[in-house]
């Protein structure tokens, strides 16, 4: 079996050092800008430098996250930041924004690019396209199975990085607008507020409650330590641990556990993974699952507690006044944290009583008396903080890199110290020569001791060889200085700092004379709504035909007066195994354009000469991303842009731009299906939108399928901009789009008529009670 990389998270410098000291081969972290974990401590510039030095001097790699979408006004700062990372010689940059990919390829080809899971490269064709454009590694969507990962690896040869442990997002990364739409804090900008971890009710279309007041979207944590062998054999190159928001003790315990498991697997040894799972649970867990590795729809969720559930501590056997008695299922120490199963009530243990006596620790099987907590007899308490375990992982032994040292000391010649570290070799001569000793000569043991004294460096002496004449003298201060200079030379050679490029691009040149005739486009998955749009004179119709050729053939007749564009689902995996063939079929049917939702589709369409329309979920948010998709006929811009940002982009490009101006925006795109979990599969009801989530404010969010058993949760409010047409006319758009999701025939007729009248006459008569302006006037953080 091949050696695999163990990749650990670091939210701060101390955690980074712990991750490496406990056995990580590489670390990933972010600076203060452009990282998908904006609420982690992250690294200032001097800390970035120290972090890279710490890792590189110890033969470990560092990958820096630049995995958010970027706005035009941030490009200058982005260039300076990337230039600094280039100077530090980081091993790779993890990227989401296609504009950042283009910038790196154009100006910093020396830097390796890793495609973030935020890029949503969920199918083989997209990953092939990424590989062809020079991306070295793809961080796989967490939703992919081991079978799919193995197929991708064998078909492309691209570097494959897979999450093996930690928190799971319920939505496909890069496709979540939940936090953005609800609270203005964008997950695509690293500022997710975590609304998926809140409580919701689950209802049907008759308002019958199926489940209430539960954390219905909260996934259990990923733990794959039982499947190390399978994952190595699948061809995975890097095992990634999630947790840049976690403390050093968490990172240390998980890294150590996976290090032991990987090493045991590679050496053919057996290992007790249950012991390590129990230990990791003692630090943090929402409960462990295999995620999507072996099942398409995970059934095990964290419905009762979205925070650290911990491990079962004991059963409440009696309640008396201000005390409770608990029969222990695991040990308990002073300083431990305990809570109820839901995590609503808990405290830090300050007193433990066993048989009327105070103790510092109690053990499994004993009955303890504790301070009362809101519980009932028979309830299970959980230990959410293990003081002793955390203490174990609060210290580390500093990682050092081995060196071999060769010392040559000859009469009338400078002392020479040569140090070899991996494939790097440095040599240093003393400033003075060795002479015959008049009094006390330097003996071999003393010379070895002084040359080997490098404990204050990132190195340790693995082997030392000395070739010296007897009876020679040299001041020991000169020996130490020569050793210091040799180590200094080794450090300089290992770090390989680069000179800055100081790239400047002519980015802020606008096209002042751009004039667009604003048209109306319409997106739907329903044949009957294509007909309605055609009859009402919509300029362009995107029809998501769900890969059903009969449906596509049925709407060909509408092309005489309306531009009809085949469209594809937001997420695509193994539903279609040959994008080139699909595009060829569409072209042979006489269609000129396609609306694409992923990189593979874009690449296939361009190669076949089709006009490409880029959909909103590719998150185009800046002009460099516009240039990346330079062959696009139309680009639907990210719904996270405000009108000023849209105008700024449109006036700097000759491209055609579109914005969604009506509809229920998809908050989440999920493989997980709560309908199947809590009611049983109802494919028809799911596709018809007969189920809802209700939040704590009473808002109802429809749950719908995309036709491939993939779930979308739609915003409760309708995006409505018909009465703001004057504002939309001024920002350089070519199209405004009506997005059809769960609307009835009449609702769609009314919406199209309203927007047509607004475009033509400036009149608005449609009244929608629960509407939103989206981000047109507020934007996102």
């Amino acid at each position: 079996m091949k050696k695999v990389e163990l990749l650990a998270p670091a939210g701060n410098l101390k955690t980074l050092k712990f991750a490496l000291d406990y056995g990580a081969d590489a670390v990933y972290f972010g600076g203060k800008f452009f990282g998908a974990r904006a609420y982690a401590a992250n690294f200032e510039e001097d800390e970035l430098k120290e972090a890279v030095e710490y890792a590189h001097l110890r033969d470990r790699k560092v990958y820096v996250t630049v995995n958010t979408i970027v706005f035009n006004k941030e490009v200058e700062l982005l260039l300076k930041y990337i230039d600094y990372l280039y100077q530090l010689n980081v091993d790779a940059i993890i990227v989401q924004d296609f504009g950042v990919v283009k910038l790196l390829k154009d100006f910093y080809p020396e830097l390796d690019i890793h495609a973030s899971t935020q890029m949503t490269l969920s199918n083989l064709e997209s990953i092939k396209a990424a590989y062809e454009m020079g991306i070295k590694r793809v961080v796989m969507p967490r939703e992919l199975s081991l079978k799919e990962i193995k197929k991708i690896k064998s078909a492309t040869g691209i570097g494959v990085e897979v999450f093996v442990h930690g928190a799971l997002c319920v939505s496909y990364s890069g496709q979540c607008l939940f936090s953005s739409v609800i609270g203005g804090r964008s997950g695509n900008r690293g500022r997710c507020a975590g609304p998926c971890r809140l409580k919701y009710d689950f209802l049907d279309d008759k308002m019958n409650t199926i489940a209430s007041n539960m954390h219905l979207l909260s996934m259990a944590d990923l733990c794959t330590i039982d499947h190390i062998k399978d994952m190595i054999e699948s061809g995975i190159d890097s095992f990634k641990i999630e947790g840049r928001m976690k403390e050093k003790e968490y990172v240390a315990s998980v890294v150590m556990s996976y290090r032991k498991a990987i090493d045991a697997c590679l050496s053919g040894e057996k290992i007790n993974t249950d012991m390590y799972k129990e230990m990791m649970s003692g630090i943090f867990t929402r409960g462990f699952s295999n995620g999507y590795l072996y099942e398409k729809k995970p059934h095990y969720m964290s419905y009762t507690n979205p925070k650290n559930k911990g491990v079962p501590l004991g059963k409440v056997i009696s309640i008396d006044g201000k005390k409770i008695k608990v029969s222990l299922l695991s040990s308990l120490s002073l300083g431990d944290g305990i809570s109820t199963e839901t995590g609503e009530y808990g405290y830090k243990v300050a007193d433990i009583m066993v048989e009327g006596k105070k103790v510092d620790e109690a053990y499994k099987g004993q009955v303890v008396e504790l301070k009362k907590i809101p519980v009932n007899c028979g309830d299970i308490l959980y230990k959410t903080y293990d003081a002793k375990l955390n203490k174990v992982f609060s210290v580390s032994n500093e990682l050092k890199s081995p060196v071999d040292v060769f010392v040559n000391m000859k009469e009338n010649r400078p002392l020479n110290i040569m140090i070899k570290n991996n494939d790097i070799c440095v040599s240093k001569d003393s400033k003075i020569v060795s002479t015959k000793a008049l009094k006390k000569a330097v003996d071999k043991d003393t010379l070895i001791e002084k040359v080997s004294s490098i404990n204050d460096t990132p190195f340790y002496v693995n082997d030392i060889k000395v070739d010296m004449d007897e009876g020679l003298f040299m001041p020991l201060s000169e020996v130490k200085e020569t050793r210091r200079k040799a180590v200094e030379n080794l450090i300089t050679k290992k770090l390989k700092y680069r000179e800055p490029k100081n790239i400047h691009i002519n980015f802020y040149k606008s096209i002042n004379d751009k004039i667009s005739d604003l048209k109306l486009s319409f997106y739907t998955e329903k044949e009957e709504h294509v007909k309605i749009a055609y009859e009402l004179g919509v300029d362009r119709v995107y029809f998501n035909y769900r890969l059903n050729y009969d449906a596509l053939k049925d709407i060909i007749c509408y092309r005489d007066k309306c531009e009809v564009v085949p469209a594809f689902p937001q997420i695509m995996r193994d539903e279609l195994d040959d994008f080139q063939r699909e595009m060829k079929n569409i072209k042979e049917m006489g269609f000129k354009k396609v609306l694409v939702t992923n990189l593979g589709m874009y690449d296939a369409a361009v190669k076949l000469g089709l006009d490409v329309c880029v959909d909103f979920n590719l998150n185009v948010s800046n002009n460099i991303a516009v240039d990346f998709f330079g062959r696009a006929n139309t680009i639907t811009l990210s719904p996270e842009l405000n009108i000023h940002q849209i105008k700024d982009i449109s006036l700097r490009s000759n491209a055609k731009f579109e914005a969604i101006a009506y509809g229920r925006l998809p908050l989440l795109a999920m493989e997980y299906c709560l309908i199947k979990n809590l009611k049983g599969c109802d494919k028809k009801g799911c596709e018809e939108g007969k189920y809802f989530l209700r939040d704590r404010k009473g808002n109802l969010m429809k749950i719908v399928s995309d036709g491939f058993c993939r779930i979308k949760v739609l915003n409760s409010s309708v995006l409505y901009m018909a009465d703001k047409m004057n504002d939309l006319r001024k920002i350089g758009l070519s199209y405004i789009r009506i997005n059809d999701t769960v609307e009835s025939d009449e609702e769609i007729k009314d919406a199209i008529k309203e927007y047509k009248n607004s475009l033509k006459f400036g009149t608005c008569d449609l009244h929608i009670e629960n509407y939103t302006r989206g981000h047109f006037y507020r934007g996102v953080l």
Side-chain angles (χ1 to χ4, degrees):
M1 277 187 280
K2 70 170 188 177
K3 189 178 185 300
V4 294
E5 175 186 87
L6 180 57
L7 175 59
N12 56 57
L13 189 56
K14 187 137 195 168
T15 301
L16 177 142
K17 292 179 178 180
F18 267 61
L20 296 177
D21 295 348
Y22 273 89
D25 299 302
V27 286
Y28 68 100
F29 53 88
K32 291 294 183 182
F33 311 104
F34 310 112
R37 288 293 181 270
Y39 298 121
N42 293 318
F43 292 70
E44 301 284 358
E45 277 200 2
D46 58 335
E47 291 175 320
L48 276 169
K49 184 172 184 290
E50 186 177 348
V52 174
E53 288 182 354
Y54 191 89
H56 282 177
L57 292 176
R58 291 159 178 82
D59 313 310
R60 302 296 187 260
K61 291 184 177 181
V62 292
Y63 310 134
V64 179
T65 58
V66 187
N67 58 340
T68 63
I69 59 172
V70 178
F71 296 147
N72 273 353
K73 68 178 183 179
E74 298 168 322
V75 169
E76 188 174 339
L77 176 62
L78 173 68
L79 277 166
K80 289 179 181 178
Y81 183 53
I82 289 176
D83 201 66
Y84 184 65
L85 298 178
Y86 168 80
Q87 292 173 59
L88 294 181
N89 193 28
V90 301
D91 296 282
I93 293 181
I94 306 170
V95 175
Q96 172 186 7
D97 194 306
F98 289 103
V100 181
V101 173
K102 178 171 174 52
L103 191 152
L104 289 168
K105 294 302 298 178
D106 287 350
F107 302 114
Y108 295 92
E110 304 90 344
L111 286 172
D112 281 355
I113 303 172
H114 291 182
S116 170
T117 187
Q118 290 283 128
M119 204 177 275
T120 328
L121 301 179
S122 59
N123 52 68
L124 176 59
E125 296 296 329
S126 291
I127 291 167
K128 280 182 177 178
Y131 190 47
E132 287 177 7
M133 71 174 62
I135 288 176
K136 299 293 185 182
R137 179 187 290 186
V138 172
V139 186
M140 295 290 170
R142 294 168 173 89
E143 291 79 5
L144 296 192
S145 69
L146 206 54
K147 182 180 178 182
E148 288 173 292
I149 292 167
K150 186 174 183 178
K151 177 183 175 182
I152 287 166
K153 179 63 182 178
S154 62
T156 63
I158 200 169
V160 168
E161 183 173 304
V162 173
F163 282 99
V164 297
H165 194 95
L168 286 168
C169 292
V170 73
S171 175
Y172 275 88
S173 296
Q175 304 301 308
C176 178
L177 295 173
F178 204 177
S179 176
S180 170
V181 170
I182 299 301
R185 289 163 59 175
S186 169
N188 285 317
R189 301 270 294 161
R191 291 172 170 84
C192 178
C196 57
R197 298 290 183 184
L198 299 177
K199 288 182 177 180
Y200 297 94
D201 301 326
F202 176 38
L203 305 94
D204 63 20
D205 58 343
K206 294 180 175 60
M207 295 296 105
N208 296 315
T209 301
I210 301 167
S212 66
N213 202 35
M214 296 172 66
H215 302 276
L216 296 174
L217 300 174
S218 180
M219 298 198 75
D221 288 345
L222 177 67
C223 178
T224 66
I225 198 166
D226 291 328
H227 307 288
I228 297 294
K229 186 172 184 291
D230 280 359
M231 291 190 296
I232 293 176
E233 290 177 346
S234 74
I236 295 170
D237 298 287
S238 181
F239 287 8
K240 185 172 194 170
I241 297 165
E242 182 277 337
R244 282 198 282 145
M245 300 286 286
K246 297 291 198 304
E247 301 295 332
K248 65 183 186 301
E249 291 83 3
Y250 170 88
V251 173
S253 66
V254 177
V255 167
M256 188 195 79
S257 299
Y258 279 82
R259 177 81 279 152
K260 295 284 188 184
I262 291 168
D263 291 348
C265 183
L266 292 176
S267 63
E269 299 174 19
K270 289 188 176 181
I271 188 170
N272 181 6
T273 55
D274 288 340
M275 176 182 73
Y276 289 103
K277 284 189 289 186
E278 183 178 350
M279 181 190 68
M280 291 186 288
S281 296
I283 300 289
F284 187 97
T285 182
R286 296 182 179 93
F288 287 148
S289 81
N290 296 324
Y292 296 90
L293 280 181
Y294 296 96
E295 56 181 344
K296 197 164 186 177
K297 308 286 183 186
H299 65 279
Y300 181 59
M301 299 288 287
S302 182
Y303 288 147
T304 58
N305 186 356
K307 299 177 287 188
N308 179 21
K309 185 177 180 180
V311 296
L313 172 66
K315 184 177 182 180
V316 178
I317 58 174
S318 70
I319 303 171
D320 182 17
K322 295 183 179 181
K323 300 290 183 181
I324 58 173
K325 285 188 177 180
V326 180
S327 177
L328 293 182
L329 300 171
S330 61
S331 63
L332 178 68
S333 302
L334 293 177
D336 285 352
I338 67 171
S339 82
T340 56
E341 184 177 4
T342 62
E344 291 180 87
Y345 305 102
Y347 59 84
K348 184 176 179 181
V349 175
D351 292 293
I352 305 172
M353 299 287 289
V354 176
E355 296 179 350
K357 295 181 180 179
K358 282 190 174 184
V359 297
D360 293 337
E361 187 171 13
Y363 305 95
K364 181 179 179 180
Q366 288 186 304
V367 175
V368 298
E369 193 175 79
L370 299 172
K371 185 176 75 174
K372 188 177 179 181
I373 193 171
V375 290
N376 298 311
C377 283
D379 286 356
I380 301 295
L381 290 181
Y382 286 78
K383 180 163 59 173
T384 55
Y385 181 81
D386 189 317
K388 292 179 72 174
L389 191 57
N390 274 271
K391 187 175 181 180
V392 169
F393 289 106
S394 66
V395 294
S396 68
N397 294 317
E398 183 185 341
L399 175 69
K400 290 180 179 288
S401 180
V403 295
D404 293 331
V405 183
F406 305 89
V407 185
N408 187 284
M409 188 174 182
K410 299 292 183 178
E411 185 178 359
N412 294 324
R413 291 173 58 187
L415 171 73
N416 177 263
I417 298 176
M418 184 171 70
I419 302 177
K420 189 174 186 300
N421 176 244
N422 301 319
D423 57 349
I424 297 175
C425 190
V426 296
S427 179
K428 185 65 180 176
D429 287 341
S430 61
K431 291 183 178 179
I432 60 176
V433 299
S434 303
T435 58
K436 279 287 186 184
L438 299 178
K439 294 183 181 178
K440 186 176 181 180
V442 176
D443 61 76
K444 185 175 182 179
D445 289 342
T446 300
L447 187 61
I448 289 174
E449 177 197 347
K450 298 304 178 187
V451 173
S452 300
S453 296
I454 58 173
N455 291 336
D456 59 341
T457 75
F459 312 106
Y460 72 90
V461 175
N462 175 62
D463 186 39
I464 184 166
K465 291 183 172 58
V466 176
D467 181 10
M468 66 180 297
D469 293 340
E470 296 293 330
L472 296 180
F473 172 78
M474 176 171 284
L476 294 181
S477 59
E478 183 64 19
V479 174
K480 290 190 284 185
E481 178 65 11
T482 306
R483 178 208 68 215
R484 188 185 70 79
K485 289 288 188 183
V487 171
E488 199 175 79
N489 289 348
L490 176 61
I491 288 172
T492 300
K493 205 163 186 178
K494 282 180 74 77
L495 292 180
K496 301 176 184 176
Y497 285 129
R498 298 183 175 117
E499 290 297 316
K501 287 192 175 184
N502 295 319
I503 299 295
H504 297 282
I505 58 177
N506 187 21
F507 183 72
Y508 293 102
K509 183 178 180 181
S510 63
I511 301 167
N512 296 313
D513 58 349
K514 183 178 182 181
I515 299 173
S516 295
D517 178 23
L518 192 56
K519 296 180 179 180
L520 182 64
S521 67
F522 177 69
Y523 174 97
T524 187
E525 299 176 5
K526 304 168 187 174
E527 282 185 64
E528 57 271 27
H529 287 188
V530 175
K531 183 179 180 182
I532 290 171
Y534 167 80
E535 291 174 344
L536 292 176
V538 170
D539 298 293
R540 176 183 289 180
V541 175
Y542 300 115
F543 178 46
N544 180 354
Y545 67 105
R546 295 183 171 186
L547 309 182
N548 179 348
Y549 281 112
D550 290 336
L552 200 56
K553 289 174 184 175
D554 288 343
I555 57 97
I556 289 176
C557 60
Y558 301 123
R559 293 184 310 192
D560 59 336
K561 295 179 182 178
C562 176
E563 189 177 36
V564 179
V565 180
F568 297 92
Q570 185 174 354
I571 302 294
M572 295 198 67
R573 281 168 61 179
D574 51 7
E575 298 83 15
L576 181 61
D577 60 3
D578 191 337
F579 289 5
Q580 292 281 350
R581 183 189 64 215
E582 191 73 7
M583 293 300 175
K584 186 177 179 182
N585 290 338
I586 287 172
K587 188 174 182 179
E588 288 175 351
M589 292 172 74
F591 292 101
K592 306 296 184 183
K593 295 183 175 68
V594 290
L595 178 70
V596 302
T597 56
N598 62 70
L599 182 62
M601 281 287 180
Y602 173 80
D603 186 63
V606 166
K607 285 177 178 175
L608 278 171
L610 286 164
D611 287 339
V612 185
C613 304
V614 170
D615 209 357
F616 74 94
N617 67 302
L618 283 163
N619 294 317
V620 175
S621 305
N622 59 70
N623 281 92
I624 305 177
V626 171
D627 291 344
F628 178 93
F629 294 109
R631 301 288 293 277
N633 172 275
T634 310
I635 294 175
T636 304
L637 293 169
S638 165
E640 297 193 285
L641 296 172
N642 62 38
I643 58 172
H644 304 294
Q645 292 167 322
I646 292 171
K647 183 176 182 180
D648 188 50
I649 291 172
S650 67
L651 293 183
R652 299 183 196 283
S653 173
N654 285 315
K656 293 179 182 178
F657 295 106
E658 178 175 276
I660 298 172
Y662 176 90
R664 291 173 174 86
L665 290 175
L667 303 178
L668 301 168
M670 311 183 294
E671 287 292 342
Y672 157 67
C673 181
L674 71 163
I675 299 171
K676 182 179 179 181
N677 257 23
L678 297 171
K679 185 185 182 297
C681 184
D682 181 4
K683 193 172 188 292
K684 186 173 184 294
C686 183
E687 290 190 8
E688 292 176 356
K690 290 188 175 182
Y691 297 96
F692 298 86
L693 280 177
R694 182 171 59 197
D695 67 16
R696 64 191 187 279
K697 295 181 180 179
N699 297 311
L700 291 172
M701 297 168 281
K702 279 209 174 188
I703 302 165
V704 295
S705 166
D706 69 346
F708 298 96
C709 285
R710 220 157 271 133
I711 305 300
K712 293 181 184 179
V713 177
L714 304 179
N715 192 20
S716 59
S717 301
V718 177
L719 175 60
Y720 180 71
M721 290 291 290
D723 58 337
K724 299 292 182 181
M725 206 57 65
N726 284 338
D727 290 347
L728 297 181
R729 289 181 188 280
K730 299 172 184 176
I731 58 177
L733 293 170
S734 297
Y735 293 89
I736 54 167
R737 186 204 291 187
I738 292 175
N739 239 40
D740 172 27
T741 51
V742 292
E743 285 79 5
S744 66
D745 293 356
E746 288 305 313
E747 285 175 318
I748 282 302
K749 286 178 183 176
D750 288 344
I752 293 175
K753 288 176 182 177
E754 178 79 357
Y755 276 73
K756 288 283 290 183
N757 287 336
S758 182
L759 278 169
K760 191 172 182 179
F761 307 112
T763 59
C764 299
D765 297 317
L766 186 63
H767 300 288
I768 299 174
E769 289 185 12
N770 189 18
Y771 70 89
T772 175
R773 302 299 188 186
H775 287 299
F776 281 105
Y777 297 102
R778 68 172 181 174
V780 296
L781 294 176

